[in-house]
């Protein structure tokens, strides 16, 4: 997959694209990311990328021509038309389903918006707008990195363990179960040793019991913290054992709330 990122802050991408799963995807040649400085597509001596808003008001708006020129340059160097994304608070919320859909595109362009806004005529060249959630960022650069990370790990050969991708919590529609590593007993300051002990079942070697405990923990956490994830469709996708555990958990929560 090729990704072109158009930004006024190219420096924000250097380390993140060298690091971790995304860095490895690039190293392995599964992913190529070109970061393009919007100022390189200006034609004036001062490399101006923004201007005041028509109609007045505070803040500057990204000018259309440098963005159009950047898109034309990217298209000229590409075989097929890339899919053009604009990061924007008005966009469709990034979800695992959106990441999966985008991962099927051989070539993405991500235009990074800024706080004050982008000239609306840019939208004539945009296939979709993507938001990463309901909070205010100062620009689209971090959103672009989030999109690249979520999409890159879905490309075959990027994450070492394909199974871990398949088993991912949002794929299964459940939150993760708790994890522990050594030591089994931990003494720390004022925290009681019982509170810091690794659950016995995980030390038992009984793999059927461990699987059931993990399912129970994942379901209990989801019911407690993200009940919105347990839609009818999500419940239908559970296995029989999970549905049985969920029914049990719901029942014990009902009785616990009785006076
Ligand atoms: C004065 C601007 N705000 C008035 C309602 C709107 C606004 C525009 C642009 C708020 C933030 C931004 C900058 N944010 C992004 O470019 C952005 C973003 C975000 O803020 N949250 C979640 N996802 C994204 S994707 C791009």
């Amino acid at each position: 997959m090729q990704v072109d990122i158009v930004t006024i802050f190219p420096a924000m991408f250097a380390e993140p694209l060298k690091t971790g799963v995304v860095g490895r995807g690039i190293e392995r040649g599964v992913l190529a990311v070109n970061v393009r400085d919007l100022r390189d597509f200006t034609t004036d001596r001062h490399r101006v990328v923004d201007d005041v808003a028509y109609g007045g008001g505070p803040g500057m708006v990204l000018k259309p021509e440098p963005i159009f020129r950047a898109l034309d340059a990217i298209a000229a160097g590409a075989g097929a038309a890339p899919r053009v994304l604009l990061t924007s608070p008005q966009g469709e919320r990034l979800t695992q389903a959106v990441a999966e859909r985008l991962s099927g595109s051989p070539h993405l362009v991500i235009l990074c918006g800024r706080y004050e806004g982008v000239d609306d005529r840019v939208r004539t060249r945009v296939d979709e707008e993507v938001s990463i959630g309901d909070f205010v960022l100062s620009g689209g650069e971090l959103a672009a990195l989030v999109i690249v990370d979520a999409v890159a790990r879905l490309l075959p050969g990027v994450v070492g363990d394909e199974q871990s991708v398949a088993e991912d919590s949002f794929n299964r529609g459940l939150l993760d179960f708790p994890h522990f590593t050594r030591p089994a007993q931990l003494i720390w300051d004022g925290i009681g040793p019982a509170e810091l002990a690794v659950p016995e079942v995980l030390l038992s070697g009984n793999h059927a019991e461990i699987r059931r405990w993990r399912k129970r923990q994942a379901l209990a956490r989801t019911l407690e913290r993200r009940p919105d994830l347990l839609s009818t469709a999500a419940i239908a996708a559970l296995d029989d054992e999970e549905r049985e555990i969920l029914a049990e958990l719901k029942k014990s929560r009902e009785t616990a709330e009785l006076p």
Side-chain angles (χ1 to χ4, degrees):
M1 168 183 273
Q2 183 184 334
V3 181
D4 287 88
I5 298 172
V6 180
T7 173
I8 59 169
F9 294 130
M12 284 182 73
F13 295 87
E15 290 299 323
L17 293 177
K18 282 193 284 189
T19 312
V21 164
V22 171
R24 189 168 58 206
I26 293 169
E27 250 172 42
R28 292 188 179 174
V30 177
L31 178 67
V33 183
N34 303 317
V35 179
R36 302 180 181 258
D37 187 341
L38 186 61
R39 288 188 196 282
D40 292 344
F41 299 95
T42 56
T43 54
D44 63 307
R45 175 206 257 287
H46 295 106
R47 304 183 11 118
V48 173
V49 291
D50 57 7
D51 203 344
V52 294
Y54 275 122
M60 305 288 274
V61 175
L62 288 181
K63 291 167 64 61
E65 304 98 309
I67 296 176
F68 283 3
R69 239 178 256 118
L71 288 173
D72 288 350
I74 293 164
R83 185 156 191 85
V84 179
L85 313 182
L86 173 65
T87 60
S88 141
Q90 282 89 50
E92 178 183 4
R93 194 93 57 83
L94 183 67
T95 59
Q96 194 61 25
V98 169
E100 274 163 21
R101 178 167 55 69
L102 296 177
S103 76
S105 246
H107 188 181
L108 298 176
V109 176
I110 309 179
L111 301 174
C112 301
R114 288 308 300 175
Y115 189 76
E116 297 78 5
V118 177
D119 187 296
D120 213 68
R121 291 168 287 187
V122 165
R123 290 186 164 84
T124 61
R125 300 285 299 269
V126 168
D127 295 304
E128 58 184 301
E129 295 182 39
V130 180
S131 161
I132 63 164
D134 295 339
F135 42 84
V136 180
L137 298 172
S138 7
E141 282 74 14
L142 292 171
L145 284 167
V146 167
I147 295 166
V148 168
D149 189 281
V151 168
R153 55 193 312 293
L154 296 173
L155 302 174
V158 170
V159 174
D161 184 3
E162 296 295 316
Q163 183 157 354
S164 79
V165 177
E167 281 174 4
D168 238 317
S169 59
F170 280 98
N171 273 320
R172 297 242 35 233
L174 295 180
L175 298 183
D176 210 353
F177 51 77
H179 299 264
F180 299 89
T181 187
R182 289 180 286 188
Q185 307 294 338
L186 185 56
I187 316 270
W188 213 269
D189 289 352
I191 315 176
E195 226 181 310
L196 290 180
V198 173
E200 271 295 326
V201 60
L202 298 178
L203 312 174
S204 70
N206 184 335
H207 295 291
E209 275 302 308
I210 291 170
R211 206 175 310 115
R212 193 176 165 85
W213 181 86
R214 286 179 166 169
K215 283 177 176 178
R216 190 181 184 83
Q217 291 290 318
L219 286 161
R221 277 183 164 189
T222 308
L223 202 54
E224 177 67 33
R225 302 185 195 182
R226 294 293 307 277
D228 58 299
L229 294 178
L230 291 168
S231 62
T232 312
I235 292 170
L238 299 176
D239 65 33
D240 290 344
E241 189 177 39
E242 287 167 334
R243 258 195 306 278
E244 181 191 301
I245 296 169
L246 181 60
E248 230 174 78
L249 287 168
K250 283 181 172 170
K251 202 164 172 194
S252 68
R253 288 166 128 252
E254 275 170 33
T255 42
E257 274 154 36
L258 291 175

